Amino acid sequence: MATAAHALTPLPQLSGAVADWVNSVRELTQPRAIHWCEGTDAEARELTAQLLRGGELKALNPEYFPGCHLYRSAPSDVARVEHLTYICTRSQDDAGPNNHWMDPQQAHAKMRELFRGCMRGRTLYVIPYCMGPIDSPLARCGVEITDSAYVVLNMLIMTRAGRAALERIAHDGDFVRGLHSVGELDPERRFIMHFPEELAIESFGSGYGGNALLGKKCHALRIASWQARTEGWLAEHMLIVGLQNPRGETHYLACAFPSACGKTNLAMLIPPDSLPGWRAFTVGDDIAWLHPGEDGRLWAINPEAGYFGVVPGTNPETNRNAYEMIRRDTLFTNVALTADNQPWWEGLTSGKPLLDWQGRPYDPARGPAAHPNSRFTVSARRNPGYSPHAEDAGGVPISALVFGGRRREVAPLVYEARDWKHGVLVGASLASETTAAAVGQVGVTRRDPMAMQPFCGYNFGDYWQHWLNIGAQLARPPRIYHVNWFRRDAHGKFLWPGYGENLRVLAWMLDRCAGKAGASESAVGWLPRPADLDTRGLNVGADALAALLTVDAGLWRKEVAELREYLGRFGSRLPAALLAELASTEQRLA
Ligand code: SAT
Ligand code: MN
């Protein structure tokens, strides 16, 4: 029958496995209603209208911010909660010293009691989603069940959610099961549990970002890193950016930085006027899935479809594209408001806050007007610099991998690893000052290997071995770099201007990959001499540049001793090859 072929199968009938799981969750959580997400614009509009009626969302000034809304989270629910985040594997050693661990049966029992009846009077939303382009063999799917319509709105922007994803799940057969409830938003009854062996996530008690949008850190990093090890690829906390040089050639870099260290800005880099002819294209701003290709290169997709970016600091000077991008169809979380109902945040050069992020009259004595971890959620397609290859099913080829942290001292502006194995040590040695993206003290230096400390779903020892294995498989591996945009002088002033000027460092890397740029060898790797960087029009003094490109052997010996102690925690799981690289660096520093 011609017409029947066009009639859409009701979503609950597309996949028996998903329907069975939804039924079991319904019995446990007792919702008033069930809503299966189709993923249409009309559905997003209806959900938005419903949240506006309930007062959970506020419409922003439609003249300046059409289609934009403000959501205020509970004041005690504003960031990821790493201390309540667990990896639940049968063997504790598989989770490793880098994770909080709980026995899976104990964790399931604990969560079952929290979830029991928790959706009474609420709607249960079923969100089938695909991480990665829907037609990509590198993409993977999941289903999130949640009782938060705000989470649904975010997931509709951040992932390819709805019917097409469920069709793919019905076809593929497997999917990650993510169960989420805001519960009572009680920090005492809050847990984010991961069961990599079951491809399952259970999150209770938070409605915020990485705690609640389960496709993001929970699936695309913690569970995916486990899947990636089994299947022979890498799931990394990396932006992906394409740089087109004045000759018109585009090369891609994947760069790992901890949360709130400028990944979104680097992914959306605006070349400075003094470097004419360069263009930057964003593939992703937070997560990269990297696959060895048949050509011996590493190929990357961005599993996400939108950006959940830090708002404060965004202005036409720091990130013009982001500033333009978030003026339409954007969901703001925890920003301040002006008298004429525009969103406001620290770092804006105009306007002033009337109400702070909690909706109280703004009083500077109470701290910043916008929460330091306030966020925008916006479709990647709103980005004026969105790469025409961002949705390529096979991904983009990666020329260089970059690790970076926020360090006042020690780490120079940039250095190049001697080879892949040394690069794995460089990644493992990453350390960074903490930011507002996670609950806890801000500004203390902590070890954050590959910027994955909060996100690796298994033992770092096994993870580094997996990195070494992937490298051994690549005939044309990307070169590996370390950068630090955050070096300061004795007065605490940043030595490097950052933002668009970072292009000078990235351009040097790409020239190195092409065999065209010079460098001098240091104990920690290859550094550009000042003359190796393109400094035309750069406003950095010769002394500052020299300081930025110096390796202080004394500080480094201390750094490497700390690193040895840290790596020692991984005991027999620590790859011997990594220890050999460490010993080699120690010898060079001696
Ligand atoms: O809250 S998120 O985990 O999504 C943001 C971040 O920490 O990078
Ligand atoms: Mn991140």
Side-chain angles (χ1 to χ4, degrees), residues 362-380:
Y362 172 56
D363 173 358
R366 284 196 286 231
H371 190 278
N373 195 36
S374 53
R375 297 273 170 164
F376 55 76
T377 319
V378 65
S379 166

Side-chain angles (χ1 to χ4, degrees), residues 80 208-211 216-217 237 259-260 286 308 373 375 437 455:
R80 281 183 292 103
Y208 192 81
N211 301 330
K216 197 172 178 56
K217 310 298 189 181
H237 193 206
S259 300
D286 194 37
F308 185 67
N373 195 36
R375 297 273 170 164
F455 307 122

Side-chain angles (χ1 to χ4, degrees), residues 160-184:
R160 281 94 173 166
R163 176 172 291 271
L166 191 56
E167 279 167 356
R168 180 164 168 164
I169 289 170
H171 178 265
D172 289 359
D174 62 346
F175 61 99
V176 171
R177 292 165 156 78
L179 173 54
H180 169 253
S181 169
V182 290
E184 313 86 49

Side-chain angles (χ1 to χ4, degrees), residues 143-379:
V143 177
E144 175 165 357
I145 293 181
T146 179
D147 54 9
S148 161
Y150 163 76
V151 165
V152 177
L153 284 181
N154 276 278
M155 287 291 286
L156 290 175
I157 298 170
M158 295 301 297
T159 72
R160 281 94 173 166
R163 176 172 291 271
L166 191 56
E167 279 167 356
R168 180 164 168 164
I169 289 170
H171 178 265
D172 289 359
D174 62 346
F175 61 99
V176 171
R177 292 165 156 78
L179 173 54
H180 169 253
S181 169
V182 290
E184 313 86 49
L185 294 175
D186 175 357
E188 301 299 320
R189 284 162 53 83
R190 181 176 291 166
F191 288 102
I192 325 291
M193 303 283 195
H194 303 75
F195 306 88
E197 290 151 329
E198 304 164 33
L199 301 187
I201 305 156
E202 295 176 5
S203 166
F204 189 91
S206 166
Y208 192 81
N211 301 330
L213 317 179
L214 301 187
K216 197 172 178 56
K217 310 298 189 181
C218 300
H219 176 162
L221 287 176
R222 298 195 191 97
I223 299 289
S225 61
W226 178 285
Q227 272 182 307
R229 181 174 53 144
T230 328
E231 299 173 8
W233 48 282
L234 295 165
E236 299 299 324
H237 193 206
M238 291 177 173
L239 67 92
I240 309 162
V241 65
L243 294 179
Q244 190 188 83
N245 65 25
R247 292 183 300 281
E249 304 151 354
T250 303
H251 293 276
Y252 297 90
L253 301 99
C255 314
F257 296 85
S259 300
C261 287
K263 276 202 301 301
T264 305
N265 291 336
L266 189 60
M268 299 179 69
L269 179 140
I270 311 278
D273 293 340
S274 52
L275 293 181
W278 283 88
R279 294 183 67 186
F281 298 98
T282 316
V283 177
D285 82 326
D286 194 37
I287 300 177
W289 285 359
L290 304 159
H291 290 252
E294 270 162 26
D295 62 355
R297 290 191 288 177
L298 202 51
W299 291 74
I301 61 163
N302 168 18
E304 301 190 282
Y307 310 122
F308 185 67
V310 176
V311 182
T314 306
N315 68 45
E317 267 73 62
T318 57
N319 190 338
R320 190 184 342 120
N321 280 346
Y323 182 75
E324 294 301 331
M325 168 176 84
I326 62 180
R327 301 188 80 81
R328 183 182 276 276
D329 298 336
T330 300
L331 181 49
F332 289 90
T333 300
N334 292 339
V335 293
L337 277 183
T338 64
D340 66 346
N341 213 32
Q342 296 190 52
W344 193 91
W345 54 86
E346 276 67 21
L348 274 188
T349 43
S350 62
K352 60 176 205 263
L354 176 74
L355 301 179
D356 72 7
W357 63 277
Q358 297 186 57
R360 306 173 301 189
Y362 172 56
D363 173 358
R366 284 196 286 231
H371 190 278
N373 195 36
S374 53
R375 297 273 170 164
F376 55 76
T377 319
V378 65
S379 166

